[in-house]
Amino acid sequence: MAALPGMKTLFSLHRSLTLQRFALIPAQSTSSHPHRRLCSSSTGNADPEPQVTENESLLENLNLMGVDVREARRRQPGVFRRAFTNEQEVAQFLQGKGASREVVAGIISRYPRAITRSGEHMEQRWGLWRNIFKTDVEIVNILDRSPESFFRSSDNKNLEKNIAFLSSLGLESKDLHRLLAAAPRTFSNSFELNRQMVEVLEDICSELGGTNPQQFAKNIISRNAYILTRSTKRVKTNIDILRASLKLSGEELLALFKGPGAEILDLSNEYLKNNLNSLQQKMVSLGCKKADLKKLVYSYPLVLYIGRNTLISKLDCLLKGGIKMTQILEKPKVLDYSTENITGRLEELKKVGYDFEKNGINILDTSKKRFDAKLEKLKISR
C-alpha cells in the first residue's frame, strides 16, 4: 500500500538526521516489525523463503559505510541474500564503544556475518568481555585484528561457561586476558571442546607420572595461549614424537612442559617432526651425539620453532665466526637472534679482536644497548 505524504516526509527527515548524526550510513525504511526498525529490508517480497538475489538495500548501506563489498562477498556470500540485516545498529554499537568508521568497515569487510547480530546480543557479549578487559579500547583493538573472535559465535551462554570453567582451573585474570587477546577463538570454542582438551592434558600428566593433573593443565594453558585452539590428536602426537625422538622419560617430559616446552605442543605434527629430523642431521654432521640433541631441545625447546633453513643458516653463521658447537649447546639462546643480527655482531667483535675461546659467547645474547656498551669498552681497552 502506498505511504501517506506525511509519512514520506517523516521518513525523509529521519534519513537526513541519521546521516548527520552518524556520518556512516543512511537510515532504512522501517519494517513492519518494531524490533527490526534498524535493519535493512528486502524490497517488494514478503515471502519468508530465502532470497535468491542480493539485498540491494544492504549493498547500498555497506558501500556508504566504506565496506569492501567484494571482500565481504568473497568471505560470506550468504549474508548478502538475507532479507534482514542489522548493519546500522552494529555500526552504531561499535562506534559507541570507540571504533572509528574505518575500523567498523574493516570488521564487516572481513567478517560480514557481524551484521546479523542483535544489539541485545552484542551488549551482553561485550559485558562478558569487559569482565576480563579493563577498557573498551582493548576490545576494539582485538575486534579490529580478529572480528570473528567476537562475532563468530552467537552463544553467549557458552562464552560465560568457558570463562567460568577456565577460571575454575586457577587461571587468573591476566591469563584469561592473554588468552582472549592472543587466541580469542578459545572462547568461541564449545565449552565441551575446551573441557575435552583439559581432560586430555590431565590424563597426559597422570600417564607421565605427575601428581597434580589440574596444575599441569593450568600451566600448559597459561604458557601456550593457542593450545585450546588445537586438536587433542595434535597434542598427543607431538608428545609421542618428542618422547620417541629424544628418548625422554616421563619425569623429563613433565619438566619440559612445565617450562618453555609447553609452547611447542601446538606445532603441527609434520613441522615438529621435520624440524627435529633436520636438527639431528645437522648436529650429526658436526660431530654431535644424540645426547647433544636431547640437551639442546631440553634446555631450549623453542629451537624447534625455527624453520629448517633458518636454523641451519644461524648455525653455519656462528660456526664460521669461530664459535664451537659445544658453546652453542651451553648458550642456545643465541639462536633467538636473526642471522643478520648474528652476522653484524660477529663482524663488530672481530674488529676488536674478541676471543670467544677465552671470553665465551654470552656477549651475543644481550640487548642491543648492552652489546653496544660492551663493544665501546672493548674498543677503548684495545
Side-chain angles (χ1 to χ4, degrees):
M1 183 175 69
L4 294 174
M7 289 299 289
K8 289 182 177 179
T9 302
L10 180 60
F11 286 154
S12 177
L13 178 60
H14 181 263
R15 178 187 182 95
S16 176
L17 288 173
T18 302
L19 275 167
Q20 291 175 31
R21 182 178 177 187
F22 298 104
L24 190 62
I25 51 177
Q28 296 284 47
S29 56
T30 44
S31 166
S32 59
H33 298 285
H35 68 280
R36 295 195 189 275
R37 62 188 179 85
L38 288 175
C39 303
S40 59
S41 60
S42 60
T43 55
N45 186 1
D47 195 319
E49 292 296 317
Q51 288 181 274
V52 176
T53 58
E54 290 187 340
N55 186 332
E56 293 298 327
S57 179
L58 170 62
L59 289 172
E60 179 186 356
N61 278 345
L62 295 184
N63 278 313
L64 286 169
M65 291 168 68
V67 171
D68 185 339
V69 173
R70 179 179 295 180
E71 175 66 9
R73 186 186 284 116
R74 183 184 70 80
R75 288 176 178 264
Q76 293 166 349
V79 172
F80 291 86
R81 295 190 293 273
R82 286 178 176 254
F84 296 99
T85 50
N86 200 25
E87 63 276 5
Q88 285 193 18
E89 190 170 9
V90 169
Q92 292 167 16
F93 175 84
L94 292 172
Q95 286 183 311
K97 300 299 185 182
S100 67
R101 169 192 168 97
E102 291 73 21
V103 168
V104 172
I107 287 171
I108 297 173
S109 298
R110 284 175 288 126
Y111 200 79
R113 200 171 294 149
I115 63 176
T116 67
R117 301 303 180 212
S118 70
E120 181 183 4
H121 165 83
M122 290 186 292
E123 285 287 2
Q124 185 182 28
R125 198 167 189 82
W126 200 275
L128 291 170
W129 279 45
R130 276 302 303 269
N131 289 333
I132 298 173
F133 293 103
K134 293 180 179 179
T135 66
D136 288 338
V137 173
E138 291 177 285
I139 302 177
V140 169
N141 288 339
I142 291 178
L143 266 62
D144 188 24
R145 188 182 79 244
S146 175
E148 66 274 13
S149 63
F150 187 84
F151 291 105
R152 180 177 175 226
S153 172
S154 61
D155 191 346
N156 286 337
K157 286 291 183 184
N158 181 70
L159 172 60
E160 195 169 9
K161 286 167 71 175
N162 272 330
I163 293 173
F165 173 62
L166 294 172
S167 298
S168 74
L169 297 176
L171 291 169
E172 299 176 4
S173 180
K174 65 178 181 179
D175 297 315
L176 297 177
H177 185 291
R178 180 168 174 264
L179 280 172
L180 197 45
R185 208 182 84 194
T186 296
F187 293 85
S188 58
N189 278 349
S190 72
F191 162 71
E192 291 300 328
L193 193 62
N194 284 337
R195 186 169 69 175
Q196 183 182 18
M197 175 61 84
V198 169
E199 288 175 351
V200 165
L201 292 175
E202 291 176 343
D203 289 344
I204 288 170
C205 177
S206 298
E207 290 168 10
L208 296 177
T211 57
N212 194 337
Q214 183 170 313
Q215 180 62 33
F216 177 79
K218 173 195 170 185
N219 184 74
I220 295 290
I221 296 168
S222 62
R223 281 188 168 272
N224 189 331
Y226 303 97
I227 197 72
L228 291 171
T229 66
R230 309 307 188 206
S231 70
T232 56
K233 181 181 178 181
R234 173 184 290 199
V235 172
K236 288 189 286 188
T237 301
N238 279 343
I239 291 174
D240 291 339
I241 291 171
L242 290 167
R243 192 203 308 253
S245 300
L246 304 176
K247 308 301 180 187
L248 293 170
S249 66
E251 185 178 354
E252 287 173 323
L253 282 168
L254 283 172
L256 179 68
F257 299 138
K258 284 179 181 177
E263 297 180 45
I264 63 176
L265 283 178
D266 72 295
L267 293 174
S268 78
N269 301 148
E270 285 304 307
Y271 187 84
L272 178 62
K273 191 184 300 181
N274 290 339
N275 281 5
L276 267 170
N277 290 339
S278 297
L279 180 57
Q280 182 175 10
Q281 289 171 14
K282 180 63 177 178
M283 291 181 71
V284 167
S285 73
L286 296 171
C288 297
K289 300 176 181 179
K290 280 196 172 182
D292 294 321
L293 173 66
K294 177 178 178 178
K295 178 181 179 180
L296 177 58
V297 175
Y298 193 71
S299 61
Y300 183 59
L302 295 184
V303 70
L304 296 175
Y305 256 107
I306 306 172
R308 176 186 180 278
N309 293 336
T310 302
L311 179 58
I312 290 175
S313 175
K314 289 182 181 183
L315 288 171
D316 287 344
C317 179
L318 288 165
L319 296 168
K320 186 179 178 181
I323 295 168
K324 295 180 179 179
M325 192 64 201
T326 53
Q327 291 176 301
I328 297 173
L329 288 172
E330 292 300 323
K331 195 67 177 177
K333 281 195 69 180
V334 295
L335 297 170
D336 262 350
Y337 299 88
S338 68
T339 306
E340 292 75 18
N341 184 296
I342 294 170
T343 302
R345 291 190 174 192
L346 289 173
E347 289 175 354
E348 291 295 326
L349 291 170
K350 184 178 180 180
K351 291 177 184 177
V352 297
Y354 190 84
D355 188 342
F356 289 111
E357 184 83 35
K358 178 181 176 182
N359 301 312
I361 66 172
N362 285 348
I363 191 171
L364 293 174
D365 182 23
T366 58
S367 67
K368 184 180 185 304
K369 183 178 179 180
R370 291 186 65 186
F371 177 80
D372 290 343
K374 180 68 175 176
L375 193 63
E376 284 302 313
K377 289 181 181 179
L378 290 169
K379 288 177 180 178
I380 294 170
S381 64
R382 287 190 71 189

